[in-house]
Amino acid sequence: MPGAPRRCAGTSRCRSTRRSLSPLPAKAAASRGRNPYPRPSGPEDRSESVQTLPAALRHWARQTPDRVVLRHGTEHLTYAELDASVDRVAASLAARGAGKGDRVVLIGLNSMAWITAYLACLRLGIVVAPANNRLSPSQLSDQCDRLEARAVLHDAAHADLVREVPRPGRAVIELGDLVRTAQGGESTVPDVPVPQDIALISFTSGTTGAPKGAVLSHEALYKGALAVAEFHGSTQDDSTLILVPVFHNTGFNDQFGHMLVAGGCTHLLTKYRTGDAIAELRERPVTFLAAVPSILRMLMMSDEAEHIYGPAAKLFFGGSPMPAAWIDELLGRWPHLRLTHAYGLSEFTSICSFLPHELVASKGESVGLPAPRVQLKVVDDQGREQPPGQPGEVWVAGPTRMTGYWRQPALTEQKFRGQWLRTGDLGHLDGDGLLWLTGRVDDVINRGGEKVLPSYVESCIAQRPDVGQVVVFGIEDPVLQQRVAAAVEPRPDSVFNEHAARNHLAARLPDYAVPERWVIYEKLPLTASGKVDRREVARQFPDSTEG
């Protein structure tokens, strides 16, 4: 059936003439606040009319229709097949009364149907709101109500969840049914949106309060994806496996959007499990891997690590710093990898800065230089730009900045300063213009007036050979306000030695920064994006230390 997934042999290389983005030379230094990267022209044959992700799909469907764009296990879709399927699903949604400006919530595990519905919404000008697939019924209901959602699109795995959500005047459609029933029709739907139209509302994880909906334009999605492709010099020969949930910015932008803009191939893992990821990468290797350090660490410690990192060419990490000891091990075992550190925000579509691979071995905990078309500066609490070496809050500006929080003008006003977005992250720029993050404004531990930055303490603890993962957090204290605590997940087949860890830290940290309380976890809790959940560990702390 045209547009339906087909069986394939599973190779990560796809047929057709190579067309590439102009490689972007990495530079080691930049003036503060200025984008250090030249703007490349993009693929040789891309017209200036390609300014949105749906238009990028149409472009490659015409230029290289038989090249594979999506894989899920042994099934695949070509660019022409995906483009046609997106048209038919878009026509089906339009027939149900959905149109430009309507909000549609999309929830489900990673699948071809999710991607197809996502692109169909974008093509119609529908504002899509990818939902965290770990939401409770009350959270999903609240999100739908706040958006005044016209419809909820869900997969079979979330049917029970969606069934508990009130639906007055709201269509509820199962993704598999939507895609299957749309296949019988033939339709060519024009791309409705223009770059300035609202494309997507990305809800934050809510770790600093109630989730907020960052409103992103079509221009932001396209240029955010293009920035990743430009920086890595990605071509149609590149491929990636999405390990994180696709609703996350890393999934729909840094990986799928990036590959769509470059004309490459995206592989989907239904849901992250280390064993499943290893099996998939062994069977169908990819050139580009992206994940938070905790996931990359789990893959590194696997007996099958050679089958994961050996075939890869580029490795991209972000979300939290990667300890220097992990970087040394990674590059020592696979020196061919082009390892890149990145920093991004939901409110900025995703990527704000990249650390070029040439600097990762020596300055791996820096998040690098501004991404293409991004401006960046560090300011004090009065908004005055700080000189190199002086700490402050990181502010960013560029076309991928959100237009605001959905129907929260007061909160939007707090985050904006003219063209600048206040990130809430602390850091400093060095003399070469490299950005070094030291924590969140609200993560800093205040121990009797002494400020402790968890990320630095974590980096020191991670140097220990018996440590797999670690998170440092503050616990309330009636006298000092807070004390420092650490939760450790030991490395497999190792026993964590608290006494040795304390001695290790005493030689590297002031005494007030050495954790006073330690908790051992078999597995640390993770957020939906795969990062260690600092706030959940802190919440569990009283229970985890009983007895």
Side-chain angles (χ1 to χ4, degrees):
M1 179 180 295
R6 298 184 301 162
R7 298 281 172 180
C8 67
T11 175
S12 65
R13 298 287 191 240
C14 307
R15 300 183 305 275
S16 103
T17 305
R18 174 174 173 173
R19 292 175 173 84
S20 67
L21 289 163
S22 304
L24 188 69
K27 295 190 176 182
S31 301
R32 287 178 294 127
R34 192 175 68 222
N35 179 2
Y37 304 108
R39 183 175 180 178
S41 60
E44 300 164 357
D45 55 2
R46 177 180 290 130
S47 70
E48 290 300 317
S49 64
V50 178
Q51 300 179 62
T52 68
L53 293 184
L57 172 62
R58 185 84 80 201
H59 167 86
W60 292 120
R62 290 170 176 168
Q63 295 295 322
T64 56
D66 296 329
R67 183 174 281 273
V68 176
V69 59
L70 276 180
R71 295 188 189 279
H72 192 184
T74 58
E75 297 180 328
H76 75 264
L77 286 173
T78 66
Y79 272 92
E81 290 168 340
L82 179 61
D83 187 57
S85 186
V86 165
D87 269 352
R88 289 191 287 267
V89 171
S92 178
L93 289 171
R96 296 169 188 254
K100 185 173 182 180
D102 287 335
R103 275 80 62 198
V104 168
V105 172
L106 177 57
I107 185 166
L109 302 177
N110 298 357
S111 69
M112 290 186 178
W114 195 103
I115 295 289
T116 302
Y118 169 70
L119 290 170
C121 288
L122 295 183
R123 181 158 281 172
L124 275 181
I126 290 172
V127 179
V128 63
N132 186 327
N133 55 34
R134 295 166 61 184
L135 292 178
S136 68
S138 62
Q139 289 173 314
L140 181 59
S141 178
D142 176 67
Q143 212 166 96
C144 291
D145 290 343
R146 289 167 62 186
L147 291 168
E148 296 179 354
R150 180 67 177 265
V152 178
L153 309 181
H154 69 92
D155 64 1
H158 293 82
D160 290 341
L161 168 64
V162 172
R163 197 173 293 120
E164 298 183 53
V165 176
R167 57 183 75 179
R170 182 179 300 137
V172 177
I173 308 169
E174 200 272 321
L175 285 169
D177 290 343
L178 175 65
V179 175
R180 282 190 296 272
T181 57
Q183 297 306 328
E186 291 295 332
S187 178
T188 300
V189 177
D191 291 327
V192 172
V194 297
Q196 291 70 40
D197 286 339
I198 297 174
L200 183 143
I201 297 177
S202 177
F203 279 88
T204 64
S205 61
T207 56
T208 57
K212 306 174 288 290
V215 178
L216 304 176
S217 68
H218 280 270
E219 178 185 29
L221 287 185
Y222 178 77
K223 289 187 175 175
L226 183 62
V228 185
E230 287 174 347
F231 180 85
H232 290 95
S234 298
T235 76
Q236 288 183 301
D237 288 332
D238 280 304
S239 56
T240 192
L241 173 67
I242 297 182
L243 298 170
V244 300
V246 71
F247 71 78
H248 192 275
N249 299 58
T250 300
F252 69 71
N253 183 78
D254 304 341
Q255 292 190 264
F256 174 67
H258 158 201
M259 288 296 154
L260 185 62
V261 166
C265 183
T266 299
H267 300 212
L268 301 171
L269 191 68
T270 304
K271 183 179 182 180
Y272 180 80
R273 294 183 180 87
T274 302
D276 293 343
I278 292 168
E280 175 65 22
L281 288 166
R282 181 166 188 160
E283 184 69 21
R284 285 168 285 274
V286 296
T287 66
F288 181 88
L289 284 171
V292 295
S294 57
I295 287 180
L296 296 176
R297 181 63 169 171
M298 285 187 276
L299 297 176
M300 285 169 60
M301 294 188 292
S302 163
D303 292 339
E304 303 288 337
E306 182 58 41
H307 296 289
I308 300 167
Y309 294 107
K314 307 163 190 175
L315 185 61
F316 163 98
F317 71 92
S320 61
M322 183 182 289
W326 299 5
I327 292 173
D328 291 343
E329 180 179 343
L330 191 62
L331 294 179
R333 294 171 69 182
W334 300 283
H336 69 282
L337 284 174
R338 294 172 64 89
L339 181 60
T340 300
H341 191 187
Y343 161 59
L345 304 164
S346 296
E347 291 88 344
F348 210 70
T349 304
S350 193
I351 301 303
C352 302
S353 67
F354 293 104
L355 180 68
H357 71 96
E358 297 95 336
L359 301 179
V360 168
S362 58
K363 300 185 178 182
E365 293 191 22
S366 166
V367 294
L369 305 166
R373 289 171 291 277
V374 173
Q375 293 177 282
L376 183 153
K377 65 180 179 180
V378 174
V379 303
D380 63 15
D381 55 8
Q382 301 299 312
R384 295 172 297 203
E385 191 166 356
Q386 295 285 73
Q390 292 300 307
E393 183 182 8
V394 179
W395 288 12
V396 291
T400 58
R401 191 195 74 171
M402 69 174 181
T403 61
Y405 289 118
W406 177 254
R407 294 182 177 173
Q408 291 184 283
L411 185 58
T412 300
E413 186 176 355
Q414 291 174 19
K415 293 287 284 188
F416 285 177
R417 292 294 183 272
Q419 67 173 327
W420 296 97
L421 172 73
R422 300 181 58 187
T423 69
D425 290 315
L426 297 173
H428 69 272
L429 293 167
D430 66 17
D432 291 326
L434 296 174
L435 176 64
W436 300 76
L437 297 178
T438 51
R440 293 283 300 171
V441 171
D442 49 8
D443 272 347
V444 175
I445 300 170
N446 186 345
R447 187 188 183 281
E450 299 286 0
K451 302 298 173 59
V452 178
L453 300 172
S455 60
Y456 184 72
V457 181
E458 290 164 359
S459 177
C460 292
I461 296 172
Q463 295 170 2
R464 297 281 307 152
D466 52 2
V467 173
Q469 297 194 79
V470 61
V471 63
V472 171
F473 57 98
I475 53 176
E476 292 185 11
D477 184 85
V479 177
L480 295 175
Q481 186 174 339
Q482 288 181 303
R483 291 181 184 270
V484 183
V488 172
E489 178 185 315
R491 188 163 182 164
D493 302 321
S494 297
V495 176
F496 175 68
N497 187 324
E498 180 182 329
H499 178 72
R502 287 180 181 275
N503 288 340
H504 174 82
L505 295 180
R508 292 163 174 80
L509 297 172
D511 58 1
Y512 61 80
V514 176
E516 299 173 58
R517 303 289 296 277
W518 299 76
V519 185
I520 308 302
Y521 275 75
E522 183 178 342
K523 289 290 183 183
L524 283 166
L526 305 178
T527 65
S529 58
K531 295 184 285 187
V532 175
D533 194 335
R534 188 191 311 277
R535 285 171 176 76
E536 178 60 18
V537 171
R539 188 192 68 78
Q540 294 177 1
F541 180 75
D543 295 332
S544 62
T545 56
E546 287 181 359

